[in-house]
Amino acid sequence: MANVAVVGTQWGDEGKGKVVDWLSARADVVVRFQGGHNAGHTLVIGGETYKLSLLPSSVVRRGKIGILGNGVVIDVWAFLQEVSEMQARGLHIAPDNLCIAEGAHLILPVHAELDRLREAMRGASKIGTTGRGIGPAYEDKVARRGIRAADLATPDLLARKIGDLLLHHNALRRGLEEKEASASDLLERLLKIAPEILPFVGPAWRTLNAARREGKRLLFEGAQGAALDVDHGTYPFVTSSNALAAQAALGSGVGLGAIDYALGITKSYATRVGEGPFPTEQRNATGRTLGERGDEFGTVTGRKRRCGWFDAVMVRQAAEVGGLDGIALTKLDVLDGMERLSVCVGYEVGGRRLDYLPAAAADQQAARPIYETMEGWSSSTRGARSWSDLPAAAVKYVRYIEELIGAPVVMLSTSPERDDTIVMRDPFQD
Ligand code: GDP
Ligand code: IMO
Ligand code: MG
């Protein structure tokens, strides 16, 4: 029985939500394993749009179990807000179909405040975070002073832990000339919300391993993408978690053997929201055209996404460091009507030609793309549901990209709609 991990291979927003939704028809359990409500996953089903930040994409289908694994950071207020928004749209979301891992760390108001304060302080050298407290929450986790979902059940311990946590945060806040946070206020807020959260909290790892033993199919829903991975991305312009498929095991509590297939979601061009190096960025009419046709605005913050040509070097690197078995190529339709298409096949850095993106921030900033160009196609691929519907030049583009990445393109997406998807090889059946 194959279990599939879906991960981003660029700077996020590749269309993971759409692909997870499509695949989840045949999954029993859908698991988020890293990140938090910095993610924004869009699903379009029969003209209805759902934008999910924290909830696994399983919530739109009946009879599926959703898990927020131990690797996810959870803002409990944002969680309840999203649950109630989705319930208002008629979706069933309750402790019988959604589980928060006991060990998942909480994002607290002090985290979001610190995230925003730091960004303001950095000025022009800001990271361009989503301002949701993701980084500071992971910092506290690694520093062993974080508050976990299970802690909500023991008020005495929670009070002690808040004391410890605020000792650290208030020292920082004094340094930033910010008002200190009150321990009693935070305790009161958490105890007030605890009865609504605790029914969802449980040993998610057990649920997952039991499901596996029963032969159920697991689908791991990654957030962000390889270039935002804290180890392998364009550090420091990254998120604060690992976004590669290997994290699916650690961030949910299953063994490596539970991940049979890593599917990399890849946009047919490149986008990035926030600051940081982006070698193929097009700050010109091409970039504007891609942005307009691709409707490239951040799902979470509404920020305009930076747009550029497809960077095959970066995606090949993502395929190698992340161990991808196959690629789902999305938004091919956005390239319809472009006369010529450029694809980055290497970089020039300090007079040297490289076939990978070096780790040094200065080199990443200095990397100049080396392009191959090819002819575009004038007919429409939008909504195509079979390979034979594609113009020859589009097929050529897909095959070229596949060859450069070194991983097979097994799925193609041709519009935001769930069913506008071409499947060459089903990852669940592989
Ligand atoms: P995610 O974060 O990876 O789940 O991606 P987002 O949902 O943030 O951004 C992808 C955007 O592209 C969403 O608005 C999707 O509805 C849309 N989308 C997904 N696949 C396609 C496609 O094949 N064609 C077009 N035109 N839009 C797509
Ligand atoms: P999905 O799952 C695109 C970016 C932010 C910023 C950097 C760090 O929808 O693909 P953070 O708030 O995580 O500390 O911000 O990461 N970022 C994303 N960009 N898609 C996402 O998620 C992102 N999540 C974070 O814009 O540059
Ligand atoms: Mg997104």
Side-chain angles (χ1 to χ4, degrees):
M1 191 63 70
N3 300 318
V4 177
V6 168
V7 291
T9 65
Q10 294 152 311
W11 282 287
D13 302 328
E14 300 91 348
K16 297 176 292 294
K18 162 164 175 173
V19 176
V20 168
D21 173 53
W22 193 89
L23 286 170
S24 69
R26 269 144 322 115
D28 301 291
V29 187
V30 182
V31 192
R32 280 281 309 268
F33 54 88
Q34 43 75 233
H37 66 319
N38 50 347
H41 296 177
T42 315
L43 288 57
V44 183
I45 305 158
E48 278 272 317
T49 301
Y50 299 88
K51 289 180 188 292
L52 299 169
S53 270
L54 189 51
L55 298 180
S57 296
S58 58
V59 297
V60 302
R61 293 188 190 261
R62 290 203 163 272
K64 312 283 174 191
I65 303 289
I67 304 259
L68 293 175
N70 52 277
V72 177
V73 282
I74 300 176
D75 177 322
V76 284
W77 297 276
F79 168 81
L80 285 185
Q81 169 81 24
E82 196 171 326
V83 167
S84 67
E85 276 168 24
M86 292 301 144
Q87 284 170 335
R89 296 183 64 180
L91 303 182
H92 173 75
I93 304 173
D96 67 0
N97 68 349
L98 183 64
C99 174
I100 298 177
E102 294 169 317
H105 280 250
L106 304 189
I107 301 180
L108 302 168
V110 286
H111 293 134
E113 284 159 22
L114 183 59
D115 193 354
R116 294 195 283 260
L117 281 167
R118 281 203 188 124
E119 284 284 273
M121 218 174 53
R122 286 188 188 111
S125 57
K126 68 176 193 265
I127 290 169
T129 72
T130 58
R132 300 205 153 178
I134 306 291
Y138 277 118
E139 285 171 37
D140 281 345
K141 170 179 176 171
V142 178
R144 296 166 294 188
R145 58 175 168 260
I147 294 181
R148 311 204 291 174
D151 297 334
L152 293 174
T154 38
D156 291 354
L157 175 76
L158 187 61
R160 264 206 316 280
K161 291 189 76 168
I162 289 174
D164 274 358
L165 185 98
L166 290 192
L167 205 62
H168 173 80
H169 276 268
N170 281 335
L172 277 174
R173 291 167 76 100
R174 282 193 297 274
L176 292 166
E177 294 175 2
E178 195 61 22
K179 191 169 153 269
E180 289 191 24
S182 148
S184 57
D185 280 1
L186 182 53
L187 180 63
E188 194 184 317
R189 286 191 70 185
L190 285 174
L191 290 177
K192 184 160 174 245
I193 204 167
E196 292 180 79
I197 299 295
L198 283 168
F200 288 98
V201 178
W205 63 272
R206 281 190 89 216
T207 307
L208 280 172
N209 283 283
R212 232 193 126 198
R213 274 193 298 276
E214 289 163 22
K216 299 215 163 114
R217 277 190 181 142
L218 315 182
L219 178 57
F220 297 88
E221 177 173 3
Q224 289 84 52
L228 289 171
D229 180 279
V230 66
D231 280 281
H232 294 283
T234 48
Y235 191 91
F237 300 95
V238 293
T239 192
S240 298
S241 69
N242 287 109
L244 303 180
Q247 178 62 19
L250 289 171
S252 68
V254 296
L256 278 180
I259 321 256
D260 302 288
Y261 194 101
L263 179 68
I265 314 305
T266 303
K267 205 179 273 193
S268 302
Y269 48 100
T271 63
R272 163 160 220 173
V273 55
E275 312 307 312
F278 181 178
T280 63
E281 181 172 17
Q282 298 297 301
R283 293 180 187 224
N284 53 29
T286 302
R288 281 194 296 278
T289 304
L290 290 169
E292 279 159 24
R293 293 198 189 154
D295 197 18
E296 297 294 355
F297 291 92
T299 314
V300 171
T301 55
R303 286 177 291 176
K304 209 173 186 171
R305 296 176 184 145
R306 299 154 65 192
C307 296
W309 292 121
F310 187 77
D311 189 336
V313 181
M314 198 174 100
V315 179
R316 179 172 60 225
Q317 201 161 327
E320 289 201 17
V321 297
L324 298 179
D325 297 297
I327 299 281
L329 194 67
T330 61
K331 304 191 93 160
L332 187 67
D333 55 293
V334 174
L335 302 181
D336 290 353
M338 300 198 71
E339 234 166 83
R340 293 197 70 76
L341 303 170
S342 296
V343 173
C344 171
V345 296
Y347 304 120
E348 198 196 291
V349 185
R352 282 192 310 149
R353 186 180 167 133
L354 295 181
D355 63 357
Y356 70 97
L357 190 65
D363 287 345
Q364 293 189 347
Q365 205 55 260
R368 295 286 156 263
I370 299 166
Y371 290 116
E372 289 285 343
T373 62
M374 54 193 292
E375 245 173 77
W377 53 91
S378 53
S379 50
S380 168
T381 64
R382 191 164 169 103
R385 293 189 183 181
S386 98
W387 187 248
S388 58
D389 291 342
L390 301 177
V395 170
K396 201 168 154 201
Y397 184 72
V398 176
R399 290 302 181 214
Y400 184 51
I401 278 180
E402 183 174 50
E403 191 188 310
L404 290 171
I405 300 172
V409 173
V410 297
M411 290 174 71
L412 259 183
S413 167
T414 57
S415 99
E417 257 301 330
R418 175 189 273 175
D419 293 325
D420 291 339
T421 305
I422 302 173
V423 182
M424 286 80 108
R425 237 162 65 205
D426 183 345
F428 272 126
Q429 244 98 66
D430 217 79

